[in-house]
Amino acid sequence: MITVLNTIDTGHEDMIHDAELDYYGLKLATCSSDNSVKIYDIKNGTQTLAADLKGHFGPVWQVAWAHPKYGNLLASCSYDRKVIIWKESGEWTKLYEHTGHESSVNSVAWAPAEYGLILACCSSDGSISIIQYSQDTGNWDVKKITGAHAIGVNSISWCPALSADLNLDPLTNKDAPKRLVTGGCDNLIKIWREQGDQWVEENRLELHIDWVRDVAWAPSLGLQRSMIASCSQDKRVVIWSSDDNVSWTPTILNTFDDVVWSVSWSLTGNILAVSGGDNKVSLWRESTDGQWLCISEVAKGLGQTPNDERSTL
Amino acid sequence: MSVHWSSEILKWEYRELQATAMTVDYTGNNVLLAGRRCLAIKQINQEEDGNAVKKYPRQSKYDAAGAEWCQSYHGQKLCAIASNQRVDVYEWRDGNDLTCICSLRGHTRVVSDTHFHRQDHNLIATCSIDTFTHMWDLRDARKPVVSLCAVAGASQVQWNKVASHIVATAHDGDIKIWDYRKPSSPIHYISAHLCKIHGVDWSPHHEYQLVTSSHDGSIKYFDINNARRPENVIMTNFPVWRAIYTPFGSGLLTIGVGWGGLPRAEQAGVIGIWVGGTLTHRLVGHTDTVQTMVWRSNTSPSNYQLVTWGRDQSLRVWAMHPSLLKMCNHYLPDDENDEDNNSDVSYASTAGSTNDVSFGDKGQDMNKLPHKTSIDEEFESIREMANIEVTDMNIDTRTCQIHSERNGYVANLQVTFPRNVTEQIIPKFSWLSGTNVDSPITIKILQSINRTAYRKKKEGHRCLLHCLKTLAKSIDEIPVKNDDTDSMKSSQRSQSECENAGDSCIPFPRTCGAKWCGVSTLVVFNRPPNTRRLSLKHETGTPRSMSSLSLMPGLFNTGYSSVSPHATTTPSPTNPPGFPQLHHKHPSYSITTFYFQDRWKAQGRRAGSIRSRGSISGCSSPRVVLYAATDLFPLNRTLAEKYVINSDNPIDMCETNAKVATEEGERDLAHAWSLAALTAKALKAKVVDHLTSSEESMGWVGHPLCCNLLQSLISHYAKASNVQMAAMLACAFSIFNETSNSSSQSTISSSSYGNGTSPYSTVNQYSEISADGWTLPIVLRSNSCSEAENFYTDSTVSKSERTSSCVLEETTVHSYHCFKRVYADILHRWQLIYKKTEVMKQVSGRQQTGEVRYAGPESLSECAWCGAGRSGVRCAVCGRAALRCAVCALAVRGLACACAYCGHAGHAAHMLAWFAERDTCPTGCGCKCVMEGNSGWKGVKY
């Protein structure tokens, strides 16, 4: 059974494109086509507007919270080709603005906190930026992978730091190889690995026959198997699994009625939330025999009437 | 939307020339500057020349009003210079001799423009404010061969870039389109502007499209066959001197002039690049008005360059950024390196042919034969093609014309093969009149045709057939037109499409999504239920890119409302008035309208800026719903709070936790805990019976379930994603923190390699489990080499040995640590920080490295006695305790604290007592430690 915790009337003047809770689940950030980012404090089923961040000059596509050990940091990316990192210190202010892209920035993702304060973003200009905060200089260093995907990069996700590699200290994971997965308009999924101070393409996964809209690397429990979920304009969701991060085996989770826009893994990595153009959200879990089963479908128009607010497994 | 800018790649200044006109030749390498005193030719491909120009004196009391170099291959040595009523035609021989071959005298007033025919180098058109446009045959230059007469003086004359017989002239605010074979009257007459037209440019891709720029500050796109209203209008707030198409894609370049009462400095010298009706880029560098801009022709397609001459007497060369080309929907070959090489080749070849034209001619003649056959082959290849009609084919002009009609769309395409066919130069494709496909789509089709052509050329194949196949396929993919779309609607549609042309590579906005956040919260946002997606007849599913938003007919009723003067001409501090940033046509306006079509119609047609706001507020405002999905996960916060972690006493820990689980109603967990408690007891018993080794105490110890059971329990819970249970069980048995030593591991692995029929069942077991996907190897073995050998030979002995010490393989231990880490993270998210710390204490770091890993700031002080730097307690040099208390002057052995500012330290108690009364440093260094190093003292006070 899934129960409604909160229903937040965001007061955005236009469609919402992303919403995310922070690490503790106490702050909600939303972003919208009205060019603003809003932050709400969530407590016991109530919410108060904490900030209305205006700094973008185009629709804001995605928001991402950093790990709280770096303070309350929020990154947002927009059609206006900018990435803004907002910081709360008393009140919310702009901490850093990244303007290195020539087209809409479609996705932002913070690296696992173990690596330091690193943000990756990807743009329709086909490039990926990795922005790292340097503690020593107080600067943000930008590395760029140009020409990552032809036409454009739609989505980016980090490989978790926790890995089954025995040579890595489970306590810090600092030295785990950094990996990124991206999905683009060339219908490909690419896996990138940091080598020295370069990012190299480690793998490309081909199966989708239309633009890849979202990719998500499953959180790790420290087991050998890693998984990546991808979804595409071709209405399919694919789960890629690998035991060595080198050879990947695809499993088609499902073919949906409409294009699929986003995939999201639960913290323990066993439930996948899928949503798409048909305004529906569904949850999927892998059964013991490796089959992916839909365990819940959150019908469209949810949250409107009390009856709709509960959806059963 | 921000406007990017860039500056030139090359720059020269020639103040002494006082040139008033500039032109670039066919090869793109020679620039002619015309001044009153002299003509100068600059070779811009030769870096080593520096500022050098070849000068040719010219005696005239008039400035050169215009200069133009013939752009056809055969006429590449010819250039025309207009001054006053006369046009002088020069020939540049052998790269150094510039001689006047004829003067065209026929105009009675000042000549305003000249234009060589694009194919026939003997034909030149000149226009003048005496209202006449004359066409001259240079072989007989005594009088014009054709004269076109108008009422008003002509300011511009331009040959069509696709059709060879069409010419456009500008007369004040009007445009006349002529077929020079029928000089009596124009074939089209366009009332384009209310003010004088400064510039006319034909589309490089369409026979029937041109753009005009006027003193009234507007830039208008016209389809000459449907010229009652412009296809598209861009409003600026400055008089536009020139607006020219980009040779790639759908961009537009503009130059403004500072006449309109606006301060000249604000906009002088800035070249604006517009893509889809939006100013997206500026070329900044010229300090005064730019007089002429010319594309460097015949440089490689991926290397478009612009040459400009400004009133600041500087000549500049600009490169177009690849991103810009892409925004203009220009196809860029993927393999850029390859393309660069190619461009070098074409550079070299063209440069060679200029420097020694006669040699070039010979070379061309020799090359002609194979090329001709290649064109023949190309033409031959398409004769049989279905659905495509070849309407004209001309090997001399190297062109063919294609007619295709499908789904009610007519496509007329002209293919022009390049003169100097190297393997990789693709033919030029342009649209002819009669095509009824919307212009943004034509640009997209051209792009895909070009892509095909590049690919085929690269593979060394003929490309025409494949290009035409691409054409046919692209036309098939165009959505079938609605019958009720009248011409108004379709033209509006093309406008809005044009606006969003850059959005074709930006994914369609998400309006629905679900994200897992925190431990078990699902954040869901989606469209309100009363939204209804606009259904497009031809489309199934949601479109993929944002450009599709503008494909909806009838949505943008007000057409260019966002580009109305009100919206655009308001200068803001960020937008200098010179090139106002257009209030970008918000894609969101479209995304909202995409889902609110009905509302739209009901609310009627409002001004663009209001409507987006109106639409969404009319419905409920967008919502985000947080769902608690705790029941989906086997994680329980209450349990986490109540569980005890006490690895010193696993029996007690397991029993207590079993009780806790029972209280919470988690009976299966309670059962697991009690099983674990039994195991713990057995483990404890083991220590005792190790000495006695009595039969009955073997009960659990000797039982294979002792260790196996626990590990299966943990692996079971890990598999079920119950990290909480897995991690807690792992915490309970600190024995799991010990790993087998690596030497035994290597021995065993090598022995298992050596023997195919090894009785080493554990190896098989390992592989089975890993095949299942969850590698939780349960490999039990003894921890020394000798015992491993025993085990290998005698399984009964090894069995007892094995159970006596419960040592796990490294991978297992590692994964247990990982479980604990993940669980610690979950506890952190639940804000059970103490519990988190307790769990993290059970995660042991890697000890093999030998050194303590301490991540974080570390204080490094220098020894108080000998001055050597050190980081430990004891000085490495003199061996004494390194810290000396600043208050009592004795060595500090216990808790110390230091001022972060001056660095003086002391016993914590002494320092606290000292600073309770004073605020300066006890050493007398003058540091106001309490204020300066405040943050340092804070830690002590807690």
Side-chain angles (χ1 to χ4, degrees):
Chain A
M1 187 82 88
I2 301 179
T3 51
V4 174
L5 269 181
N6 274 45
T7 304
I8 297 124
D9 262 321
T10 57
H12 276 295
E13 290 164 352
D14 215 324
M15 295 280 188
I16 297 180
H17 299 306
D18 195 24
E20 188 174 304
L21 278 173
D22 74 341
Y23 186 81
Y24 299 114
L26 297 176
K27 290 175 194 295
L28 176 77
T30 59
C31 62
S32 152
S33 261
D34 67 3
N35 302 2
S36 70
V37 173
K38 292 192 180 189
I39 295 169
Y40 294 85
D41 286 326
I42 306 290
K43 213 162 204 180
N44 304 330
T46 62
Q47 66 278 337
T48 45
L49 180 67
D52 185 357
L53 308 176
K54 297 202 156 97
H56 283 295
F57 294 101
V60 188
W61 296 141
Q62 212 172 53
V63 285
W65 289 96
H67 192 276
K69 80 191 223 189
Y70 301 108
N72 281 332
L73 292 181
L74 181 75
S76 61
C77 65
S78 159
Y79 179 77
D80 69 0
R81 310 166 185 195
K82 280 191 291 193
V83 174
I84 298 180
I85 298 172
W86 310 86
K87 186 184 171 73
E88 185 190 31
S89 42
E91 61 187 55
W92 284 92
T93 49
K94 205 185 278 185
L95 178 68
Y96 176 71
E97 192 172 291
H98 175 57
T99 51
H101 287 287
E102 278 137 10
S103 186
S104 164
V105 184
N106 299 323
S107 183
V108 279
W110 290 100
E114 288 92 335
Y115 297 141
L117 194 57
I118 307 176
L119 182 73
C121 55
C122 62
S123 158
S124 283
D125 66 6
S127 62
I128 301 166
S129 294
I130 293 109
I131 310 164
Q132 178 158 23
Y133 181 73
S134 155
Q135 211 95 44
D136 303 332
T137 59
N139 291 331
W140 295 84
D141 302 326
V142 180
K143 267 181 223 164
K144 205 162 177 187
I145 310 172
T146 51
H149 288 269
I151 309 175
V153 194
N154 296 338
S155 174
I156 194 159
S157 174
W158 286 86
C159 171
L162 201 63
S163 102
D165 190 338
L166 291 177
N167 298 319
L168 299 167
D169 191 334
L171 206 56
T172 62
N173 287 306
K174 255 167 80 178
D175 308 317
K178 296 190 188 94
R179 282 193 174 89
L180 276 171
V181 60
T182 56
C185 298
D186 52 4
N187 310 348
L188 293 176
I189 296 158
K190 290 186 179 177
I191 295 171
W192 306 85
R193 189 159 58 95
E194 193 182 43
Q195 262 185 359
D197 55 353
Q198 292 283 314
W199 283 87
V200 293
E201 184 185 324
E202 187 180 49
N203 231 321
R204 56 171 71 187
L205 314 179
E206 286 179 67
L207 190 127
H208 286 295
I209 51 172
D210 207 332
W211 291 11
V212 179
R213 284 302 304 264
D214 200 7
V215 285
W217 206 309
S220 163
L221 296 186
L223 299 168
Q224 203 85 53
R225 186 164 83 143
S226 35
M227 285 192 290
I228 293 173
S230 67
C231 66
S232 156
Q233 187 74 24
D234 67 10
K235 305 178 183 176
R236 291 190 292 182
V237 172
V238 176
I239 308 292
W240 306 83
S241 56
S242 167
D243 284 338
D244 50 6
N245 281 335
V246 177
S247 61
W248 293 86
T249 342
T251 314
I252 296 173
L253 176 123
N254 192 25
T255 306
F256 291 82
D257 297 335
D258 203 345
V259 304
V260 191
W261 279 334
S262 73
V263 282
S264 169
W265 291 100
S266 67
L267 183 65
T268 45
N270 60 333
I271 298 183
L272 186 73
V274 178
S275 63
D278 54 2
N279 214 17
K280 284 181 188 163
V281 174
S282 52
L283 303 180
W284 299 77
R285 178 151 58 188
E286 190 182 20
S287 65
T288 39
D289 55 348
Q291 294 286 311
W292 285 89
L293 301 173
C294 180
I295 54 168
S296 163
E297 186 159 304
V298 187
K300 73 173 173 182
L302 80 178
Q304 293 309 311
T305 60
N307 289 339
D308 286 340
E309 284 177 4
R310 290 175 166 241
S311 53
T312 46
L313 286 183
Chain B
M1 186 149 186
S2 63
V3 178
H4 291 244
W5 62 275
S6 56
S7 53
E8 74 276 355
I9 53 168
L10 295 169
K11 179 198 164 188
W12 300 273
E13 258 192 50
Y14 299 107
R15 298 205 166 274
E16 75 285 359
L17 297 177
Q18 296 188 328
T20 51
M22 182 273 288
T23 179
V24 181
D25 81 338
Y26 170 79
T27 65
N29 293 325
N30 301 300
V31 176
L32 175 75
L33 294 164
R36 189 180 300 183
R37 301 268 166 66
C38 65
L39 304 174
I41 291 176
K42 163 77 192 156
Q43 297 195 333
I44 54 175
N45 66 324
Q46 292 178 347
E47 300 291 334
E48 62 270 25
D49 270 10
N51 252 18
V53 288
K54 292 198 178 90
K55 285 189 198 169
Y56 306 96
R58 168 174 179 262
Q59 296 307 325
S60 172
K61 54 182 176 178
Y62 301 104
D63 274 336
E68 198 217 347
W69 215 312
C70 182
Q71 295 296 316
S72 65
Y73 175 78
H74 292 289
Q76 60 176 297
K77 290 165 282 181
L78 297 174
C79 52
I81 294 185
S83 79
N84 200 16
Q85 303 170 10
R86 205 178 72 198
V87 176
D88 296 324
V89 179
Y90 289 84
E91 185 172 2
W92 193 44
R93 294 198 183 100
D94 304 331
N96 55 24
D97 185 19
L98 192 67
T99 46
C100 181
I101 53 166
C102 61
S103 283
L104 311 175
R105 297 158 202 267
H107 286 291
T108 54
R109 303 272 305 271
V110 171
V111 175
S112 48
D113 198 15
T114 65
H115 200 204
F116 274 104
H117 192 263
R118 291 186 190 272
Q119 279 94 39
D120 183 355
H121 63 281
N122 287 316
L123 192 61
I124 182 169
T126 62
C127 68
S128 155
I129 54 171
D130 65 4
T131 74
F132 280 98
T133 302
H134 293 314
M135 285 164 193
W136 311 78
D137 188 329
L138 294 181
R139 291 163 292 198
D140 179 14
R142 282 169 301 179
K143 63 180 176 66
V145 287
V146 176
S147 289
L148 312 172
C149 179
V151 181
S155 57
Q156 286 270 295
V157 58
Q158 285 284 314
W159 289 99
N160 190 293
K161 286 176 187 166
V162 180
S164 60
H165 55 275
I166 294 177
V167 67
T169 56
H171 308 268
D172 284 344
D174 300 335
I175 297 285
K176 288 181 176 172
I177 313 290
W178 309 80
D179 183 333
Y180 78 94
R181 300 168 298 191
K182 176 183 170 260
S184 54
S185 63
I187 49 173
H188 295 288
Y189 181 89
I190 307 170
S191 300
H193 295 266
L194 297 174
C195 286
K196 189 180 178 190
I197 294 171
H198 290 307
V200 179
D201 194 37
W202 286 97
S203 163
H205 308 299
H206 303 88
E207 182 194 16
Y208 46 89
Q209 286 187 358
L210 55 78
V211 65
T212 60
S213 56
S214 160
H215 200 78
D216 64 9
S218 63
I219 298 158
K220 296 188 180 179
Y221 293 79
F222 285 98
D223 178 339
I224 59 169
N225 296 320
N226 184 15
R228 266 178 303 170
R229 57 194 305 279
E231 287 260 289
N232 224 329
V233 182
I234 297 173
M235 285 301 302
T236 69
N237 64 348
F238 53 89
V240 188
W241 175 238
R242 285 286 185 273
I244 60 170
Y245 281 98
T246 51
F248 46 83
S250 54
L252 192 72
L253 264 68
T254 58
I255 318 180
V257 275
W259 296 346
L262 287 153
R264 176 179 290 176
E266 293 279 9
Q267 71 211 35
V270 181
I271 299 169
I273 303 182
W274 303 71
V275 179
T278 314
L279 179 62
T280 54
H281 206 100
R282 296 178 193 185
L283 305 177
V284 182
H286 279 292
T287 54
D288 203 343
T289 308
V290 181
Q291 287 184 323
T292 320
M293 56 180 168
V294 185
W295 292 104
R296 277 183 83 173
S297 48
N298 296 318
T299 51
S300 164
S302 64
N303 195 16
Y304 283 115
Q305 291 183 336
L306 187 74
V307 182
T308 60
W309 174 258
R311 208 171 283 180
D312 57 357
Q313 303 293 306
S314 68
L315 179 70
R316 290 166 203 250
V317 181
W318 316 76
M320 295 296 126
H321 195 269
S323 67
L324 200 62
L325 302 188
K326 206 173 82 180
M327 271 170 74
C328 295
N329 268 323
H330 178 64
Y331 170 69
L332 287 173
D334 284 331
D335 193 351
E336 298 214 341
N337 291 333
D338 201 351
E339 206 47 43
D340 283 348
N341 293 340
N342 178 27
S343 76
D344 288 342
V345 170
S346 75
Y347 255 126
S349 68
T350 47
S353 63
T354 351
N355 292 340
D356 191 343
V357 174
S358 59
F359 173 79
D361 265 340
K362 264 184 237 160
Q364 285 298 331
D365 288 335
M366 277 158 64
N367 287 339
K368 236 170 200 168
L369 272 172
H371 294 157
K372 270 204 171 174
T373 53
S374 114
I375 283 193
D376 283 337
E377 283 171 12
E378 293 272 22
F379 285 170
E380 200 61 41
S381 69
I382 58 168
R383 276 187 205 281
E384 302 300 314
M385 202 172 157
N387 295 325
I388 296 272
E389 191 186 330
V390 181
T391 50
D392 185 35
M393 203 181 262
N394 188 332
I395 290 185
D396 286 335
T397 55
R398 312 170 82 80
T399 58
C400 69
Q401 294 184 356
I402 312 293
H403 173 81
S404 172
E405 207 169 333
R406 310 171 79 110
N407 298 341
Y409 285 103
V410 180
N412 292 327
L413 196 68
Q414 174 170 292
V415 188
T416 311
F417 286 85
R419 256 210 61 81
N420 44 352
V421 188
T422 61
E423 275 308 311
Q424 304 223 342
I425 295 181
I426 62 161
K428 183 176 182 298
F429 300 88
S430 10
W431 296 96
L432 297 175
S433 283
T435 307
N436 64 354
V437 181
D438 291 336
S439 59
I441 296 178
T442 59
I443 295 289
K444 275 175 204 158
I445 295 179
L446 277 190
Q447 188 185 1
S448 44
I449 292 178
N450 283 341
R451 185 182 301 132
T452 311
Y454 271 114
R455 204 167 49 228
K456 289 295 161 195
K457 278 289 181 188
K458 192 173 254 173
E459 291 164 8
H461 296 306
R462 291 191 300 270
C463 65
L464 189 56
L465 177 67
H466 298 281
C467 290
L468 295 184
K469 277 182 184 163
T470 309
L471 169 74
K473 197 164 136 269
S474 307
I475 293 175
D476 283 345
E477 281 169 5
I478 308 175
V480 177
K481 272 191 279 192
N482 284 333
D483 294 326
D484 58 350
T485 42
D486 56 24
S487 63
M488 291 280 277
K489 268 187 180 169
S490 72
S491 76
Q492 273 158 4
R493 178 168 64 177
S494 69
Q495 279 168 13
S496 43
E497 266 175 54
C498 205
E499 268 187 303
N500 289 324
D503 295 340
S504 60
C505 52
I506 298 174
F508 192 84
R510 281 175 203 154
T511 49
C512 163
K515 228 182 208 181
W516 285 107
C517 295
V519 180
S520 58
T521 313
L522 185 66
V523 179
V524 175
F525 62 93
N526 52 10
R527 302 186 289 274
N530 50 343
T531 53
R532 203 168 61 81
R533 201 173 70 94
L534 214 142
S535 59
L536 299 173
K537 278 175 193 158
H538 55 269
E539 196 139 18
T540 57
T542 309
R544 66 180 185 187
S545 79
M546 266 178 72
S547 55
S548 335
L549 282 175
S550 49
L551 279 167
M552 259 80 56
L555 265 185
F556 299 93
N557 301 304
T558 42
Y560 252 73
S561 60
S562 75
V563 203
S564 71
H566 300 293
T568 58
T569 53
T570 21
S572 69
T574 50
N575 306 334
F579 277 87
Q581 185 178 341
L582 285 184
H583 284 234
H584 181 73
K585 178 99 183 171
H586 229 267
S588 63
Y589 298 175
S590 328
I591 181 76
T592 307
T593 52
F594 188 75
Y595 292 106
F596 288 89
Q597 189 196 21
D598 291 347
R599 199 152 292 275
W600 265 130
K601 286 182 176 162
Q603 291 191 343
R605 292 96 164 87
R606 293 205 231 153
S609 53
I610 309 167
R611 65 179 169 183
S612 71
R613 309 295 180 214
S615 69
I616 193 86
S617 58
C619 303
S620 53
S621 85
R623 288 179 177 191
V624 175
V625 184
L626 308 186
Y627 290 89
T630 33
D631 294 353
L632 289 182
F633 301 97
L635 308 170
N636 189 326
R637 191 175 188 272
T638 326
L639 280 180
E641 273 177 275
K642 292 187 177 167
Y643 274 158
V644 291
I645 296 166
N646 179 10
S647 63
D648 295 336
N649 190 349
I651 305 171
D652 181 48
M653 176 177 165
C654 294
E655 281 172 348
T656 318
N657 289 340
K659 231 176 279 167
V660 169
T662 319
E663 282 167 22
E664 284 299 310
E666 302 278 357
R667 293 181 58 188
D668 52 334
L669 294 184
H671 188 64
W673 276 116
S674 43
L675 278 176
L678 283 175
T679 318
K681 278 180 194 153
L683 277 172
K684 196 183 176 196
K686 176 196 76 183
V687 183
V688 182
D689 71 30
H690 191 67
L691 306 170
T692 62
S693 72
S694 70
E695 282 293 318
E696 53 274 280
S697 67
M698 283 294 285
W700 273 95
V701 183
H703 201 281
L705 284 181
C706 164
C707 252
N708 270 347
L709 174 69
L710 256 184
Q711 292 182 50
S712 333
L713 272 178
I714 294 177
S715 75
H716 166 77
Y717 284 117
K719 204 164 176 175
S721 284
N722 190 344
V723 192
Q724 184 173 27
M725 196 62 190
M728 285 301 289
L729 284 173
C731 282
F733 296 89
S734 58
I735 190 164
F736 288 160
N737 288 350
E738 297 160 17
T739 54
S740 60
N741 73 35
S742 51
S743 69
S744 80
Q745 211 182 353
S746 62
T747 313
I748 287 167
S749 59
S750 64
S751 64
S752 69
Y753 273 118
N755 197 334
T757 57
S758 163
Y760 220 68
S761 59
T762 49
V763 173
N764 297 332
Q765 190 183 358
Y766 177 94
S767 58
E768 272 167 31
I769 291 174
S770 71
D772 196 35
W774 293 82
T775 313
L776 280 174
I778 303 169
V779 182
L780 301 177
R781 76 169 83 87
S782 50
N783 62 349
S784 82
C785 299
S786 60
E787 279 162 356
E789 296 298 324
N790 285 343
F791 169 50
Y792 192 72
T793 49
D794 186 347
S795 62
T796 51
V797 176
S798 76
K799 192 168 185 177
S800 65
E801 290 289 338
R802 179 171 63 174
T803 46
S804 67
S805 60
C806 204
V807 176
L808 308 181
E809 197 185 312
E810 215 178 344
T811 43
T812 318
V813 175
H814 178 85
S815 67
Y816 288 179
H817 283 317
C818 290
F819 297 155
K820 290 179 207 164
R821 284 244 339 161
V822 173
Y823 183 49
D825 182 55
I826 292 169
L827 289 171
H828 193 180
R829 286 173 187 265
W830 276 335
Q831 297 173 57
L832 302 172
I833 297 168
Y834 293 110
K835 294 285 178 193
K836 179 207 166 177
T837 314
E838 284 179 52
V839 172
M840 283 305 281
K841 275 161 80 178
Q842 304 297 323
V843 184
S844 63
R846 198 138 284 270
Q847 299 301 320
Q848 283 96 323
T849 48
E851 59 190 65
V852 181
R853 292 243 192 127
Y854 174 65
E858 205 172 349
S859 69
L860 182 85
S861 62
E862 58 181 32
C863 174
W865 319 96
C866 67
R870 51 105 238 179
S871 60
V873 180
R874 195 160 290 278
C875 172
V877 179
C878 61
R880 282 186 275 189
L883 265 182
R884 184 163 56 170
C885 177
V887 179
C888 67
L890 296 174
V892 181
R893 284 182 207 281
L895 190 59
C897 60
C899 168
Y901 195 72
C902 67
H904 290 115
H907 292 104
H910 290 164
M911 295 299 260
L912 269 182
W914 177 271
F915 286 111
E917 292 165 18
R918 304 167 187 84
D919 58 355
T920 49
C921 181
T923 57
C925 71
C927 171
K928 301 258 183 202
C929 300
V930 178
M931 270 96 83
E932 306 277 11
N934 202 11
S935 53
W937 290 106
K938 250 182 197 163
V940 178
K941 281 178 184 165
Y942 282 142

